[in-house]
DNA sequence: AGGCCTCCTG
DNA sequence: CAGGAGGCCT
């Protein structure tokens, strides 16, 4: 099914006078799509001024700035512009500042961890050495539920902290997952009870070990044993290292690393060192082995208890990777910009079931988020400046991942363009026309003003999502029947909560308009890949194509108008016709496609517009407009100047996000 | 025949 | 921006 446009097909085989010189090497690096590790992607979202303050210089100033120019464009009628472009002073972006949040989230727990670890160690060693006459108290191992969470966090990540801000399942109140922090409910009491039982069992084991231990030592050198055991700092000997290594193994495979093995290996190690001189080494090995084993078993116990007590929370945590908080049905727009298909399609199916998966689509629509979550919405003004700190209304953490995801996606959307507007497999190079651009293009490419509320939260993103899988996470909404319509999307992670629109919305229209800055002749295939939240039908496809047709119509009419006007004004050299951001033509076009002016029109578009203007000018001046089909050659030329659309435009929800921008 | 285009009209 | 007509292309 080749649904490409006629012009697009031409693009592949037809070479035109102007087109020949345009096949140039891409100006930007493809790998720059991945944000630099210490660069927040968010600033890419912002307007130029904001971007200048925050952007990673490596994003702003790709190394490959060299522009290869076709000979017909060099020098000649437009002297100085090339040099102007190259000499344009680049604003300096400050080096990325390490996120304070990172420091907070890393340092403090680390200190806590050490402190707790030391205390726990000491407690365990003392317990071992001094005997087990103590009553079984959970505190001895700091195994309160809270501690269990801390322990889990130490082991695996930051789950507990983030879980406290988990998405609500309904608006009525917090779901089970919203109460991750134990507060003494019945299930928690049950969990505590189980914990106690587990600990009793552990202590029994300890007693048994202690007896064995004393059998070995034969009470020969008890004081020395104690002295050795209480040395918190391990000797630089190998047993410690060995144990630490084994510890890692045992953690992942606890059942295959029984205590005896540690003891034996430790003993062997001691003997290998020739350290047969005495029990102290053996004791130390035993002590370390015990500590290690205790840690492992303790972890297991905590894990199992937690799983038993909060299975839902566990599942919920996993689910959070794929879903986002639910919103009410009014969080979505019912308007359809569709034409004749509007009536049957305009009614989004997801509005029938408030709180069900069907309404989840709203979750990935930041605009809708803003609409329904008033506090969240009102937190940001139109310039993306946070007015208040009312983030908590989101209330949950992977909820907090939601805006973060949006941010990242949208930053990709509009940030990719800064970095590499042409994408990886760019077949069109901007270089040929960039000679005219007096400003750093990469500052203009697809920068969007405002937004970005949640750049801060990205720093604490609880999920280890790379930009790549972030993208796949949101980009590929599964249909209601669970499978994507797009084969290309099948290998990606379906985003369970994303829902397919059955009608095109004003958001989609705005998105299409912005996309027009990049492509004038999108094929239906391309459109399908960029409107992933739309359930495509013939009608939808036709409508989208019609939109672009209308866009083109307006575009060509405007350009032709200005070309004729220039001719009337006595312009002689077509090359002097350049569309800048100050020109009337640009204003007219920008008003049409970018009404809110919240999108930084890519410089490439200015170049295409300039070329279109020149072509019209030349054709009219040559009297070609006498031919009824005199525009067709121009259309062909322009159709070859499409550039890749930033990947971020694929992001589900970006339509709505743009709508509210 | 179907898809997409431009052009024209409302 | 949508609808329709007419044309081109596969």
């Amino acid at each position: 099914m080749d649904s490409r446009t006629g012009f697009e097909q031409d693009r592949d085989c037809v070479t035109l006078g102007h087109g020949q010189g345009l096949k140039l090497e891409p100006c930007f690096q493809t790998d720059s799509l991945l944000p630099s590790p210490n660069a927040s992607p968010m600033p890419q979202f912002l307007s130029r001024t904001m971007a200048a303050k925050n952007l990673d210089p490596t994003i702003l100033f790709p190394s490959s700035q060299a522009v290869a120019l076709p000979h017909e464009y060099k020098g000649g009628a437009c002297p100085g512009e090339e040099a102007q472009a190259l000499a344009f002073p680049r604003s300096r972006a400050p080096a990325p500042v390490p996120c304070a949040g990172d420091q907070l989230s890393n340092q403090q727990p680390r200190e806590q961890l050490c402190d707790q670890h030391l205390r726990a160690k000491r407690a365990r060693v003392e317990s071992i050495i001094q005997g087990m006459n103590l009553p079984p108290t959970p505190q001895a191992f700091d195994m309160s539920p809270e501690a269990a969470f801390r322990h889990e966090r130490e082991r695996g990540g930051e789950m507990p902290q983030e879980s406290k801000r988990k998405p609500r399942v309904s608006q009525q109140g917090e779901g089970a997952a919203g109460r991750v922090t134990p507060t003494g409910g019945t299930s928690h009491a049950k969990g505590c009870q189980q914990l106690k039982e587990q600990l009793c069992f552990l202590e029994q084991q300890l007693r048994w070990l202690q007896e064995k231990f004393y059998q070995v030592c034969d009470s020969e050198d008890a004081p020395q044993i104690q002295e050795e055991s209480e040395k918190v700092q391990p000797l630089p000997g190998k047993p410690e290292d060995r144990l630490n290594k084994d510890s890692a193994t045992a953690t992942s495979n606890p059942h295959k690393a029984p205590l005896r093995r540690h003891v034996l290996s430790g003993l062997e190690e001691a003997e290998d060192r020739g350290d047969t001189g005495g029990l102290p080494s053996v004791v130390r090995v035993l002590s370390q082995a015990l500590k290690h084993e205790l840690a492992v078993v303790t972890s297991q116990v905590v894990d199992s208890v937690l799983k038993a007590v909060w299975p839902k929370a566990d599942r919920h945590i996993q689910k959070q990777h794929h879903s986002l908080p639910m919103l009410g049905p009014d969080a979505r727009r019912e308007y359809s910009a569709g034409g004749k298909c509007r009536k049957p399609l305009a009614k989004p199916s997801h509005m029938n079931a408030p709180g069900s998966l069907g309404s989840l689509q709203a979750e990935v629509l930041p605009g809708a988020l803003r609409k329904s979550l008033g506090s969240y919405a009102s937190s940001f003004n139109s310039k993306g400046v946070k007015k208040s700190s009312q983030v908590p209304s989101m209330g949950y953490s992977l909820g907090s991942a939601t805006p973060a995801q949006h941010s990242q996606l949208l930053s990709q959307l509009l940030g990719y363009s800064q970095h590499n507007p042409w994408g990886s497999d760019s077949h069109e190079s901007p270089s040929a026309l960039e000679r005219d651009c007096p400003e750093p293009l990469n500052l203009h490419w697809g920068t969007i003003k405002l937004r970005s509320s949640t750049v801060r939260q990205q720093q604490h993103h609880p999920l280890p999502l790379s930009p790549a899988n972030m993208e796949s996470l949101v980009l590929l909404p599964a249909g209601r029947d669970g499978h994507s319509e797009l084969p290309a999307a099948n290998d990606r992670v379906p985003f369970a909560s994303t829902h397919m629109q059955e009608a095109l919305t004003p958001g989609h229209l705005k998105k299409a308009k912005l996309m027009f800055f990049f492509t004038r002749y999108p094929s239906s295939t391309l459109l399908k890949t960029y409107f992933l939240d739309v359930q495509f039908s013939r009608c939808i496809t036709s409508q989208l194509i019609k939109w672009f047709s209308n866009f083109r119509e307006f575009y060509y009419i405007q350009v032709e108008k200005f070309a004729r006007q220039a001719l009337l004004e006595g312009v002689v050299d077509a090359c002097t016709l350049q569309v800048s951001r100050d020109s009337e033509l640009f204003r007219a076009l920008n008003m049409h496609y970018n009404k809110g002016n919240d999108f930084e029109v890519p410089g490439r578009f200015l170049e295409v517009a300039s070329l279109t203007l020149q072509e019209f000018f030349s054709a009219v001046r040559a009297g070609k407009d006498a031919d009824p089909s005199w525009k067709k050659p121009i259309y062909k030329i322009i159709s070859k100047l499409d550039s890749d659309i930033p990947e971020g435009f694929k992001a589900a929800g970006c339509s709505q996000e743009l709508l509210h921008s």
Side-chain angles (χ1 to χ4, degrees), chain A residues 186-407:
Chain A
T186 54
S187 63
H188 304 145
K190 187 180 171 187
C192 290
Q193 182 60 33
Q194 290 188 25
L195 267 176
K196 281 181 183 175
E197 291 170 2
Q198 296 277 358
L199 285 169
C200 288
F201 174 72
L202 276 178
E203 284 165 359
Q204 284 179 354
Q205 281 191 322
L206 268 177
R207 282 196 202 92
W208 180 85
L209 285 171
Q210 187 192 19
E211 288 170 9
K212 293 293 179 185
F213 176 78
Y214 281 122
Q215 284 176 10
V216 172
C217 296
D218 201 19
S219 68
E220 192 175 7
D221 200 354
Q224 196 175 350
I225 290 169
Q226 181 158 351
E227 183 185 344
E228 287 280 332
S229 300
E230 285 191 346
K231 286 182 180 175
V232 175
Q233 291 190 346
L235 297 174
K238 289 173 187 172
E240 183 77 16
D241 299 338
R242 167 72 167 267
L243 284 168
N244 285 341
K245 283 175 192 170
D246 279 355
S247 160
T249 312
T251 303
S252 60
N253 227 342
H255 298 293
K256 294 180 182 173
L259 173 62
R260 276 184 294 277
R261 208 186 75 200
H262 289 289
V263 174
L264 288 177
S265 63
L267 289 172
E268 287 168 9
E269 193 99 24
E271 287 178 3
D272 290 344
R273 284 187 328 199
D275 190 7
T276 54
L279 287 173
S281 297
V282 177
V283 168
R284 193 171 63 241
V285 169
L286 277 170
S287 164
Q288 293 295 339
L290 283 170
K291 292 174 194 171
H292 164 78
E293 203 63 16
L294 272 171
V296 171
V297 174
T298 302
S299 299
Q300 288 179 256
V301 170
V302 171
D303 288 347
S304 61
V305 170
L306 281 180
K307 263 181 200 167
V309 176
W310 295 297
K312 287 179 183 175
D314 188 58
R315 258 182 277 125
H316 190 87
I317 288 164
Q318 291 180 356
K319 195 179 175 182
Q320 282 170 339
H321 290 70
H322 306 289
S323 69
L324 292 165
M326 295 193 178
L327 297 176
D330 59 340
R332 140 219 94 252
R333 304 181 66 89
E334 298 178 30
Y335 175 89
S336 164
K340 57 188 171 188
C341 312
R342 182 176 350 188
K343 288 156 202 156
L345 297 180
K347 189 167 186 174
S349 62
H350 52 258
M351 73 178 293
N352 338 339
S356 72
L357 263 185
S359 67
L360 280 173
Q361 183 194 10
E363 299 161 9
V364 295
L365 308 180
L369 271 179
R370 210 175 291 118
K371 187 175 178 182
S372 87
L373 294 178
S375 50
Y376 174 64
S378 63
S379 296
F380 305 94
N381 64 17
S382 62
K383 297 206 161 99
V385 178
K386 200 164 183 299
K387 284 176 179 171
S388 69
S389 55
Q390 278 185 284
V391 178
S393 66
M394 290 297 289
Y396 21 69
S397 101
L398 286 166
S400 78
T402 302
Q405 288 172 343
H406 290 309
S407 302

Side-chain angles (χ1 to χ4, degrees), chain A residues 431-498:
Chain A
S431 311
L433 295 170
E434 278 176 357
R435 79 203 185 281
D436 297 322
C437 185
E439 305 168 58
L441 275 184
N442 45 349
L443 278 177
H444 297 305
W445 270 94
T447 318
I448 194 169
K449 293 179 180 175
L450 61 70
R451 300 266 76 74
S452 267
S453 37
T454 49
V455 58
R456 290 159 296 278
Q457 299 177 22
Q458 290 186 30
Q459 314 297 336
H460 309 287
H461 200 289
L463 303 177
L465 293 176
S466 70
N469 53 24
M470 283 285 283
E471 181 179 304
S472 61
L473 191 66
V474 183
L475 290 194
L476 298 149
R480 253 164 320 165
D481 47 1
H483 64 269
S484 169
E485 281 196 348
L486 297 167
N490 286 343
D491 55 344
R492 306 222 192 162
V493 179
F495 197 9
S497 64
T498 304

Side-chain angles (χ1 to χ4, degrees), chain A residues 138-139 141-150 192 195 199 302:
Chain A
Q139 277 70 19
F141 299 97
D142 195 15
M143 284 304 295
S144 62
E146 289 82 357
F149 271 107
R150 281 199 301 272
C192 290
L195 267 176
L199 285 169
V302 171

Side-chain angles (χ1 to χ4, degrees), chain A residues 6 63 83 137 168 172 180 187 198 202 258 265 279 285 339 371 375 446 462 587 605 607 623 640:
Chain A
S63 56
T137 73
R168 301 172 189 216
Q172 276 85 26
V180 170
S187 63
Q198 296 277 358
L202 276 178
S265 63
L279 287 173
V285 169
K371 187 175 178 182
S375 50
R587 267 197 270 270
F605 179 76
E607 299 159 6
K640 296 172 69 67

